[in-house]
Structure formats: C-alpha cells, structure tokens
Amino acid sequence: MKLVRSLPNKQCLSDPLRTWLLKANVDILSPFLCQPFNRFLEHGIVPSSFKSDYVTPLLKKADLDAADVKSYRPITKLSVLSKLLERLVAQQLTEYLTENGLLPELQSAYRAHHSTETAMLKVMGDILLALDSGNLNMLSLLDLSAAFDTVDHDTLLRKLQTSYGFDGIVITWFISYLSGRVQDVRTRPPRRPDRLWCMESFKDRSWDRSSSCCTSPTC
C-alpha cells in the first residue's frame, strides 16, 4: 500500500481509473492487486497489457516546424499498474543488491542518499587531493544520448545471471519484462474509448485455470 500511495498522480489512457482515486481506495483494492501481482512474480511473467504503452509526440519548442518529425519529443506513458509492478520489483531488487553488497561502491545513481551531488563531491575531492600532492589531473567525461536505449538485452540478462546470481523464475520474469513490448503513437486522445481498461486474461501451462480482471465504464 505504501508503494501505491507513493505513485504520482498521473495516468495513461489504458488505466481503469484516476490514480488519485486508486490511492484513496487502496485499503479496499489492495487484495485485488496483490493476487495477480503475486502470480506474475511466482510464474515469471509480465502480461502483454502491461507492456503496451502510449507515445504522445510533443513539440520541443513552440516555434519549431510542426511538419518536421525531428521537432517532436516522444512522451511515453505506461499504465499505473505496470509502473506499480516495476516499483515493486525495483524495491526487492535494490534490497537484494544492497544486502549482498553487490552495488558498486561509487555508484551514485538510483540509490538512496546518493545523487549527482555525491558524485561531484567524490570527483572534486579526488582532484583536490591530487593537486595537493602535486600530481597532474585529467578528467574524461562520456555522455550517451538515450543511454538506456544502448543497453543490449542479451548482455544485460547474462550479466544478471553471472554477476548477480539471478536464475530460474527470477531471470524468466526479466526476460518476459524485456520482450514483447508494443508502442502505440497517438496524436490526440480518442473521442469515445470502448473501454477504460482491461487486464487481459492470463494463462500459463502450469496453471489449471486462468484468472482475469476487467473494469469497464459500466462497472
């Protein structure tokens, strides 16, 4: 429930209800979220409805040419439940890496109580110490455009297995998370959506039955 309440008040076209409404009623809805989420994790799957996102092209600046695709910045939105599942896994992953000392000592990004400020303090401290010792300083910086897009999925999965000990259902979940993603580009919202949201029925060969959860405007 803490993760739900920490969600920003944003939503996607595929969301069943406003995020603020989900947060206000999390005490009632949490059992209905826990059951499918636990199954996703236990069986190593991410449903395809969680891997479909909407891309809205927005002009970078008002004076740019609207006919030129390079003038737009793609804004991608995933469903709130998809982001909630990501946060749940990220929390467990961070705890595992921290408790087992697997995070690089000098990593400042995506860590509690670390930021660009701590990284700068470390760099400045090293430079000043070197200068005091009479040594020559050289600093080389690398800035990758869309850095996360440069990560090779096969290399990432192999790294999770060999360096961090991920295997079995855990690595299966990450494979499912990284594959089968679909993007839907929309220039304007639909006038009359047929439905607000529907979590597809999900099946697994090891299950005896399927489970589903669906919300429509008539519910």
Side-chain angles (χ1 to χ4, degrees):
M1 291 189 291
K2 183 179 180 181
L3 286 176
V4 175
R5 292 193 175 99
S6 67
L7 289 169
N9 289 324
K10 299 178 181 179
Q11 51 276 322
C12 178
L13 291 174
S14 59
D15 286 321
L17 71 169
R18 298 286 182 177
T19 304
W20 67 264
L21 189 58
L22 172 64
K23 294 162 68 173
N25 296 276
V26 65
D27 293 335
I28 301 173
L29 298 174
S30 57
F32 301 98
L33 296 175
C34 288
Q35 183 180 10
F37 275 29
N38 285 335
R39 289 192 175 184
F40 298 155
L41 298 177
E42 290 172 1
H43 294 271
I45 62 171
V46 178
S48 57
S49 57
F50 279 24
K51 295 187 284 187
S52 177
D53 53 82
Y54 295 93
V55 180
T56 303
L58 297 180
L59 275 175
K60 297 178 182 178
K61 296 181 181 180
D63 58 346
L64 293 178
D65 182 10
D68 187 357
V69 294
K70 296 182 180 179
S71 302
Y72 291 89
R73 176 183 294 107
I75 305 299
T76 304
K77 289 186 177 181
L78 287 166
S79 70
V80 170
L81 295 183
S82 173
K83 289 185 284 188
L84 182 59
L85 180 62
E86 288 182 358
R87 288 186 176 216
L88 176 63
V89 172
Q91 183 184 66
Q92 296 180 1
L93 177 61
T94 302
E95 290 176 357
Y96 167 78
L97 295 176
T98 303
E99 291 174 0
N100 292 277
L102 296 174
L103 288 175
E105 182 180 350
L106 299 180
Q107 176 180 326
S108 290
Y110 310 107
R111 295 180 67 182
H113 312 300
H114 291 72
S115 65
T116 52
E117 292 182 5
T118 57
M120 285 297 298
L121 287 173
K122 171 61 178 173
V123 172
M124 288 299 298
D126 290 345
I127 291 176
L128 293 175
L129 286 174
L131 289 175
D132 290 341
S133 300
N135 297 323
L136 178 66
N137 286 275
M138 296 184 65
L139 178 63
S140 177
L141 301 175
L142 176 63
D143 183 16
L144 294 176
S145 177
F148 287 107
D149 293 340
T150 66
V151 178
D152 180 78
H153 289 175
D154 291 335
T155 302
L156 173 61
L157 293 171
R158 189 163 54 252
K159 181 74 172 180
L160 292 175
Q161 291 176 291
T162 58
S163 299
Y164 300 105
F166 289 12
D167 58 11
I169 294 298
V170 176
I171 200 67
T172 300
W173 187 92
F174 278 98
I175 292 173
S176 177
Y177 174 80
L178 293 171
S179 60
R181 292 194 166 270
V182 178
Q183 289 185 326
D184 183 8
V185 179
R186 299 200 174 187
T187 56
R188 59 179 61 86
R191 295 181 180 179
R192 290 187 59 188
D194 295 331
R195 58 186 178 180
L196 294 181
W197 173 79
C198 180
M199 182 195 294
E200 65 176 13
S201 296
F202 51 90
K203 295 184 178 181
D204 189 273
R205 294 180 181 177
S206 60
W207 299 359
D208 294 328
R209 61 189 178 87
S210 64
S211 300
S212 64
C213 173
C214 184
T215 304
S216 68
T218 60
C219 293

